[in-house]
Amino acid sequence: MQDPFGRHVHYLRLSVTDRCDLRCQYCMAENMTFLPKTEVLSLEELDRLASAFIHKGIRKLRLTGGEPLVRKNILSLISSLSRHLDDGSLQELTLTTNGTLLEQYAAALHQYGIRRINVSLDTLDSTKYRRITRWGDINPVIKGIQEARRQGLQVKINMVALRGINEDEFNDMLYFCGQEGLDLTLIETMPLGDIDEDRTDRYLPLSLVKAELHKNWTLSPTAYGTSGPARYMEIAEIGQKLGFITPLSHNFCDSCNRIRVTCTGHLYLCLGQNDGKDLRTILRESNDDTMLYQAIDNAIGRKPQGHDFFIDKNNSSPALKRHMNVTGG
Ligand code: SAM
Ligand code: SF4
């Protein structure tokens, strides 16, 4: 699939639920109203939709949420999707998780062909972890990461840089990643959805973080890329990669190869734009995939050139009303 700007779209992030067992402050409000079950695609519908995208040329599929591992019977979906890995139509099946349930799922994920996962962890301090996630316990997450490594999964930590919360922890996190054999990606907060606090207080440009890290670590540029928006550096002291995702201070849209589908079957062509297409209606109207393929083609033909994010010092309201747990990270 090729969009009007000549970019090849081969990466789909599919949200399998809007629900989560945590309430990270930058992602959700404390009192979230989740979608009624009838609006959320069944596992069979998710499978059919993902398979239609694979038929259209998607080669990398990331399951996300909400928290993908809290979706009931998620393993049956993963096991079913793994047939596309077996026949070579899909190159990579992966997921982004908060890690709370990883210890129990790691072996099965590996068994069904998943080789790399992203785990979100913004701090190593249990008190701060509880504060950021509003009630989470860090211990199962650390155990989950270790179990995933034992099962042979590559793990990349996603850490959102939060001014006044974890800005003193980047060195510790790098030591931890070195010890456990993990890559790390730092992410700037993105203005998605109403949350309970003012985001401008938390926004920490990664250019500042990088300048600080240069004082303690030998960072060298690497050609490595996971066909995503992160720019990677190699850290000589720990032999791991460090990525920076900077949607606000650096526009990464030129090389965008991805699309997102919500757990209600809504296709978003860009994380930072509202244009998209409801695929659920088409999915539920007919068992024939022809209309689905057509709708996907038409939508890709409208993929916008770039996003409209910005954090305005005079206006702390979100650039987009939808929360990250709706579109997935
Ligand atoms: N629950 C899973 C998790 O936390 O990894 C998957 C979904 S979560 C929405 C995916 C990623 O989005 C996480 O790494 C999270 O830190 C990130 N995220 C959520 N809200 C964000 C925001 N407003 N700005 C930047 N990153 C955000
Ligand atoms: Fe849940 Fe992930 Fe959002 Fe945190 S970032 S509230 S773990 S969906």
Side-chain angles (χ1 to χ4, degrees), residues 175-317:
Y175 282 120
F176 172 74
C177 287
Q179 258 168 22
E180 304 289 337
L182 318 169
D183 290 331
L184 174 65
T185 300
L186 302 178
I187 307 175
E188 281 176 355
T189 49
M190 291 177 245
L192 293 176
D194 276 315
I195 52 171
D196 298 333
E197 61 170 43
D198 181 350
R199 288 175 203 276
T200 52
D201 293 348
R202 296 283 168 245
Y203 173 57
L204 176 60
L206 289 183
S207 48
L208 298 182
V209 177
K210 202 191 256 183
E212 268 307 302
L213 290 176
H214 267 293
K215 294 180 187 164
N216 295 324
W217 305 88
T218 316
L219 302 173
S220 44
T222 155
Y224 175 84
T226 49
S227 65
R231 280 141 215 277
Y232 284 92
M233 311 287 278
E234 192 85 39
I235 310 244
E237 289 81 357
I238 57 171
Q240 298 293 142
K241 283 181 270 302
L242 171 64
F244 297 89
I245 300 189
T246 54
L248 300 179
S249 62
H250 196 292
N251 200 303
F252 52 46
C253 303
D254 287 353
S255 57
C256 180
N257 57 10
R258 60 186 59 195
I259 46 176
R260 297 173 153 84
V261 173
T262 68
C263 59
T264 61
H266 196 93
L267 168 64
Y268 282 107
L269 300 160
C270 167
L271 179 61
Q273 297 265 1
N274 273 326
D275 189 23
K277 175 77 190 162
D278 164 37
L279 298 175
R280 185 182 60 195
T281 309
I282 302 170
L283 199 67
R284 289 185 177 171
E285 259 169 16
S286 159
N287 287 330
D288 179 1
D289 285 341
T290 321
M291 302 284 281
L292 211 48
Y293 297 153
Q294 230 165 51
I296 293 171
D297 284 338
N298 288 343
I300 297 294
R302 295 198 317 271
K303 186 167 160 64
Q305 192 165 12
H307 67 61
D308 285 340
F309 293 144
F310 63 98
I311 287 187
D312 181 351
K313 277 279 166 214
N314 302 314
N315 177 10
S316 61
S317 63

Side-chain angles (χ1 to χ4, degrees), residues 64-112:
T64 179
E67 173 47 40
L69 297 183
V70 303
R71 176 80 199 243
K72 213 168 156 205
N73 290 331
I74 186 65
L75 284 182
S76 68
L77 175 65
I78 295 175
S79 142
S80 169
L81 289 173
S82 69
R83 71 187 186 280
H84 298 297
L85 290 172
D86 296 340
D87 70 17
S89 51
L90 188 64
Q91 279 164 10
E92 185 172 27
L93 178 60
T94 180
L95 93 164
T96 302
T97 173
N98 63 24
T100 56
L101 299 172
L102 192 52
E103 194 179 9
Q104 76 193 65
Y105 280 110
L109 296 180
H110 190 271
Q111 183 193 335
Y112 296 132

Side-chain angles (χ1 to χ4, degrees), residues 108-127:
L109 296 180
H110 190 271
Q111 183 193 335
Y112 296 132
I114 291 183
R115 292 292 174 264
R116 292 194 305 171
I117 57 171
N118 289 354
V119 180
S120 302
L121 183 64
D122 303 322
T123 177
L124 290 170
D125 175 316
S126 57
T127 311

